[in-house]
């Protein structure tokens, strides 16, 4: 009976998601470069209603699947550039609040969270709150590469809030967690995080720390606008971006300035 109940819940969930996605498809078909501000505002209201419906749907036993569906819905929302140019990205925190509530260990979501909520929606405090919420359910080993979330949090604290004391503590935790992780990238990340934590401990306004922070943003940018902002910030700080033939990106700057 328990299996049958779960299958019925799953069928209900799939049907509900299918209806909502069909609703979303119709919305996207009506979106174009000629979208008016009024139409874009109506779309945003529809999206907000859809999110509310998604959050009310049962997902007992299928939380990871539910979070993935909401994330796919967010990707559609983010990718509707005509509408976003008119109404912005104000619903991004709501998407990620729902995703993290259902699956706080959904590592891939955090890459989009920090870019979209901090930079596009202009709400770094909310981005940090959501990461703190997710980190409460993480450990150095689970999910793999969880130490990166501490780095993302540190970068938001340093670059967007100017809270370098909090950033120093987050970078230190990122280093500590990376040292406990078997992941291939852990050793390098531990070293970089420790270096930045040390910079901030001795010089809260450290230019190398700021440049390294924007290099991290550049490395995980999700579109050209974020990449260009990171490059502009690095150059303003006196750094020079170097692009190697193999695609590797590095930065050169005078540490003594």
């Amino acid at each position: 009976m328990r299996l049958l109940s779960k299958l019925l819940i799953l069928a209900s969930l799939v049907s509900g998601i299918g209806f909502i996605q069909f609703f979303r498809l119709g919305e996207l078909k009506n979106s174009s470069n000629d979208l008016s501000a009024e139409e874009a505002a109506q779309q945003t209201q529809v999206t907000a209603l859809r999110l509310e419906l998604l959050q009310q749907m049962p997902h007992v036993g299928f939380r990871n699947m539910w979070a993935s569906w909401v994330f796919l819905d967010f990707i559609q929302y983010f990718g509707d550039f005509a509408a976003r140019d008119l109404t912005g990205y104000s619903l991004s925190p709501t998407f990620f609040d729902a995703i993290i509530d259902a699956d706080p260990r959904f590592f891939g979501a955090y890459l989009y969270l920090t870019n979209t909520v901090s930079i596009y929606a202009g709400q770094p405090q909310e981005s940090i709150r959501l990461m703190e919420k997710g980190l409460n359910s993480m450990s150095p080993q689970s999910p793999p590469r969880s130490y990166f979330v501490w780095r993302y949090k540190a970068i938001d604290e340093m670059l967007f809030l100017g809270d370098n004391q909090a950033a120093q503590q987050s970078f230190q935790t990122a280093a500590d967690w990376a040292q406990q992780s078997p992941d291939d990238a852990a050793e390098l990340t531990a070293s970089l995080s420790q270096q930045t934590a040390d910079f901030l401990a001795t010089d809260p306004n450290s230019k190398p720390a700021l440049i390294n922070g924007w290099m991290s943003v550049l490395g995980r940018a999700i579109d050209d606008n974020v990449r260009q902002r990171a490059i502009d910030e690095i150059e303003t700080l006196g750094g020079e971006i170097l692009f190697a033939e193999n695609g590797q990106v590095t930065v050169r700057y005078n540490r003594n300035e």
Side-chain angles (χ1 to χ4, degrees):
M1 289 296 294
R2 179 176 296 181
L3 176 60
L4 178 59
S5 296
K6 283 197 171 186
L7 288 174
L8 289 173
I9 291 173
L10 178 60
S12 174
L13 178 61
V14 170
S15 298
I17 291 289
F19 170 76
I20 289 170
Q21 293 294 67
F22 177 78
F23 191 27
R24 175 61 172 159
L25 180 60
E27 180 185 325
L28 286 175
K29 284 180 178 178
N30 292 328
S31 179
S32 71
N33 291 329
D34 297 325
L35 191 69
S36 70
E38 182 179 357
E39 290 169 335
Q42 290 174 348
Q43 283 191 10
T44 299
Q45 291 175 350
V46 169
T47 302
L49 175 61
R50 186 174 60 255
L51 269 173
E52 185 178 344
L53 290 173
L54 280 169
Q55 290 176 298
Q56 292 174 0
M57 291 179 66
H59 47 69
V60 177
F62 306 101
R63 301 182 72 87
N64 293 359
M65 184 184 300
W66 188 91
S68 296
W69 267 320
V70 177
F71 181 68
L72 290 175
D73 202 39
F74 161 75
I75 294 297
Q76 292 177 318
Y77 167 82
F78 180 83
D80 190 353
F81 300 120
R84 298 290 70 74
D85 285 344
L86 293 170
T87 65
Y89 297 79
S90 61
L91 291 180
S92 296
T94 308
F95 274 107
F96 285 106
D97 205 2
I99 292 166
I100 292 171
D101 185 56
D103 184 8
R105 298 183 181 183
F106 186 176
F107 176 77
Y110 290 91
L111 177 65
Y112 282 83
L113 185 160
T114 55
N115 278 270
T116 310
V117 178
S118 294
I119 297 178
Y120 281 97
Q123 300 182 48
Q125 297 95 333
E126 189 66 6
S127 174
I128 291 166
R129 183 191 72 81
L130 290 168
M131 283 186 277
E132 288 174 344
K133 180 179 178 180
L135 284 164
N136 286 331
S137 298
M138 297 185 193
S139 71
Q141 293 81 29
S142 179
R145 300 180 293 168
S146 57
Y147 50 85
F148 273 116
V149 181
W150 278 108
R151 277 188 61 84
Y152 300 162
K153 177 175 176 286
I155 288 165
D156 276 10
E157 290 165 339
M158 179 176 66
L159 299 184
F160 304 119
L161 295 188
D163 189 349
N164 290 338
Q165 183 177 358
Q168 191 272 335
Q169 295 172 353
S170 295
F171 275 120
Q172 185 62 61
T173 306
D176 295 342
W177 279 34
Q179 289 170 357
Q180 301 175 60
S181 172
D183 185 70
D184 291 341
E187 184 176 356
L188 176 59
T189 304
S191 176
L192 292 173
S193 298
Q194 187 64 62
Q195 183 183 62
T196 307
D198 292 343
F199 279 147
L200 292 174
T202 57
D203 179 10
N205 298 313
S206 170
K207 184 178 293 186
L210 293 171
I211 289 176
N212 287 341
W214 283 111
M215 278 295 292
S216 181
V217 172
L218 178 61
R220 58 187 168 87
I222 55 178
D223 69 12
D224 290 338
N225 290 328
V226 176
R227 291 186 191 94
Q228 190 57 54
R229 175 169 180 186
I231 290 171
D232 291 343
E233 295 285 355
I234 290 168
E235 291 177 345
T236 298
L237 289 164
E240 179 185 1
I241 303 291
L242 304 174
F243 298 94
E245 291 184 1
N246 62 2
Q248 184 178 4
V249 181
T250 57
V251 64
R252 179 170 58 199
Y253 57 94
N254 187 347
R255 293 175 178 268
N256 296 321
E257 289 185 358

